[in-house]
């Protein structure tokens, strides 16, 4: 046992932190979209696994076509919104259960992504000029500018989402997720609000896919596989760790949105910690599922323990 711990180099873990933070911020954009459907709308949306890859595919192909890397993100977001629109229409107009509608869209997007790229993967290289995010920025001398840019982008997205959910349509979406029957009784067209929420959510996911494709210098049809698990992990971790800090405050909602990014960063730190401990990489998907299960169970077990104590 002593030999095992002696072989572990703490500096390896420290050197990995910048990469963890950058990936956490990028995937946090996706987690923000997951939060909208999972927590606000109360909709189990698995479209995420498809729209993340679609956003990346669109970004890479447009960059190869000569478009500026920052401009392509608009089209990545639009592509994601179209995926959310399809899921919403399948659910509201055709009466297909939400989780099944999202699975159908996710499966369909695999073929769409192949059609967009022409093959299973396409690359642009991390040396491409003008990239919004790139792996090479992490180790550059002025890497702090890269992290500052990412943080500002994330804060801007939090501000836009916070503002949007303060508008009439945003309040209607929140009402639909809270109590659909009551929202319908108040004259809200819940079918429309569901479609809009799904479009906003998957638009953020597509945007995240576009940024991540630039970060790693390529897009792959399988890049979104398991994305929903990472998104849920970020949301649940943020709620369990930071939830009590903002309870009852006026800025609680904005704080909750921002905490999702912190949850994504903590997830990647934990992910790297497991690799650092030399656990088999084949079990990383299992690790992700266990993390989500644990953090989902913590609030339930805490409430159950509190009730038991009160009875005693």
């Amino acid at each position: 046992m002593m030999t095992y711990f002696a072989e572990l180099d703490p500096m390896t873990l420290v050197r990995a932190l910048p990469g963890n933070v950058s990936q956490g911020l990028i995937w946090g954009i996706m987690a923000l979209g997951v939060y909208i459907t999972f927590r606000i709308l109360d909709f189990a949306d698995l479209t995420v696994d498809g729209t993340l890859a679609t956003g990346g595919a669109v970004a890479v192909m447009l960059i190869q076509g000569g478009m500026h890397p920052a401009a392509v993100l608009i089209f990545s977001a639009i592509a994601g919104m179209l995926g959310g629109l399809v899921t919403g229409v399948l659910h509201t107009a055709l009466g297909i259960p939400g989780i099944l509608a999202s699975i159908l869209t996710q499966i369909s997007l695999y073929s769409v992504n192949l059609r967009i790229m022409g093959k299973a993967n396409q690359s642009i290289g991390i040396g491409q000029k003008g990239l919004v995010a790139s792996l090479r920025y992490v180790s550059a001398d002025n890497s702090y500018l890269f992290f500052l840019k990412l943080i500002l982008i994330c804060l801007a997205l939090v501000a836009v989402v916070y503002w949007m959910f303060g508008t009439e349509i945003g309040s209607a979406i929140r009402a639909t997720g809270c109590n659909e029957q009551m929202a319908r009784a108040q004259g809200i067209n819940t079918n429309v609000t569901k479609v809009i929420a799904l479009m906003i959510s998957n638009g953020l996911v597509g945007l995240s896919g576009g940024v991540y494709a630039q970060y790693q210098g390529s897009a792959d049809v399988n890049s979104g596989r398991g994305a929903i698990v990472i998104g849920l992990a970020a949301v649940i971790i943020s709620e369990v760790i930071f939830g009590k800090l903002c309870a009852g405050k006026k800025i609680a909602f904005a704080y909750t949105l921002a905490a999702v990014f912190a949850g994504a960063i903590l997830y990647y730190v934990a992910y790297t910690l497991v690799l650092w401990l030399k656990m088999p990489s084949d079990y990383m998907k299992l690790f992700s599922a266990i993390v989500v299960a644990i953090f989902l169970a913590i609030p339930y077990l805490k409430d159950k323990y509190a009730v038991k104590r009160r009875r005693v």
Side-chain angles (χ1 to χ4, degrees):
M1 182 65 71
M2 294 298 295
T3 305
Y4 167 75
F5 283 106
E7 292 176 350
L8 300 177
D9 182 11
M11 291 308 299
T12 302
L13 193 62
V14 173
R15 286 191 293 268
L17 284 177
N20 294 334
V21 174
S22 59
Q23 288 195 72
L25 290 172
I26 294 171
W27 284 84
I29 301 173
M30 180 270 297
L32 189 61
V34 172
Y35 179 84
I36 291 174
T37 50
F38 182 64
R39 280 303 187 215
I40 298 178
L41 188 62
D42 194 22
F43 187 100
D45 182 27
L46 301 183
T47 317
V48 171
D49 286 14
T51 49
L52 185 85
T54 303
V58 169
V60 167
M61 296 310 294
L62 289 177
I63 291 173
Q64 287 185 357
M67 186 176 289
H68 192 278
V72 304
L73 296 180
I74 298 173
F75 294 93
S76 292
I78 292 174
M81 293 177 72
L82 290 175
L85 174 63
V86 172
T87 298
V89 170
L90 289 175
H91 174 57
T92 59
L94 301 182
I96 301 175
I99 190 168
L100 182 56
S102 63
I103 291 174
L104 291 174
T105 306
Q106 177 201 128
I107 293 172
S108 302
L109 285 174
Y110 184 89
S111 297
V112 172
N113 296 336
L114 278 175
R115 176 62 179 170
I116 291 172
M117 294 190 292
K119 56 182 181 179
N121 53 70
Q122 290 280 2
S123 64
I124 52 175
I126 60 175
Q128 176 81 25
K129 292 184 178 180
L131 294 177
V132 174
S134 175
L135 189 59
R136 79 175 192 274
Y137 297 160
V138 176
S139 56
D141 293 336
N142 58 346
S143 59
Y144 66 93
L145 293 176
F146 167 61
F147 289 108
L148 180 61
K149 179 171 67 174
L150 271 184
I151 292 171
L152 289 176
I153 291 173
C154 294
L155 289 177
L157 289 173
V158 168
V160 170
V161 172
Y162 178 76
W163 168 82
M164 195 279 298
F165 277 100
T167 63
E168 184 176 350
I169 186 63
S171 299
I173 293 172
R174 296 171 76 170
T176 301
C178 183
N179 191 323
E180 185 176 348
Q181 288 73 27
M182 182 60 71
R184 195 178 295 116
Q186 296 298 318
I188 297 173
N189 189 329
T190 55
N191 286 339
V192 172
T193 56
K194 285 180 180 179
V195 172
I196 292 174
L198 285 166
M199 290 180 68
I200 295 171
S201 170
N202 284 281
L204 288 168
V205 175
L207 175 63
S208 175
V211 176
Y212 189 66
Q214 294 186 36
Y215 177 80
Q216 63 180 4
S218 64
D220 190 279
V221 290
N222 294 313
S223 60
R225 184 172 294 177
I228 185 63
V229 177
I230 298 175
L232 287 174
V235 170
I236 301 304
I237 290 172
S238 66
E239 289 179 342
V240 171
I241 296 179
F242 304 104
K244 292 293 182 67
L245 298 179
C246 62
K249 296 180 180 179
K250 290 184 178 180
I251 60 169
F253 184 56
Y255 181 90
T256 302
L257 295 176
V260 169
F261 290 92
I265 293 172
L266 290 176
Y267 171 82
Y268 269 97
V269 170
Y271 191 93
T272 303
L273 179 62
V274 172
L275 291 175
W276 179 70
L277 291 172
K278 298 183 179 180
M279 300 296 178
S281 59
D282 295 343
Y283 298 140
M284 295 314 296
K285 295 293 184 182
L286 176 62
F287 162 74
S288 301
I290 292 173
V291 168
V292 174
I294 290 174
F295 279 94
L296 278 172
I298 286 175
Y300 169 76
L301 295 176
K302 285 176 65 178
D303 292 341
K304 188 175 181 180
Y305 178 71
V307 170
K308 191 174 182 180
R309 284 193 62 184
R310 284 197 295 269
R311 287 177 180 174
V312 172

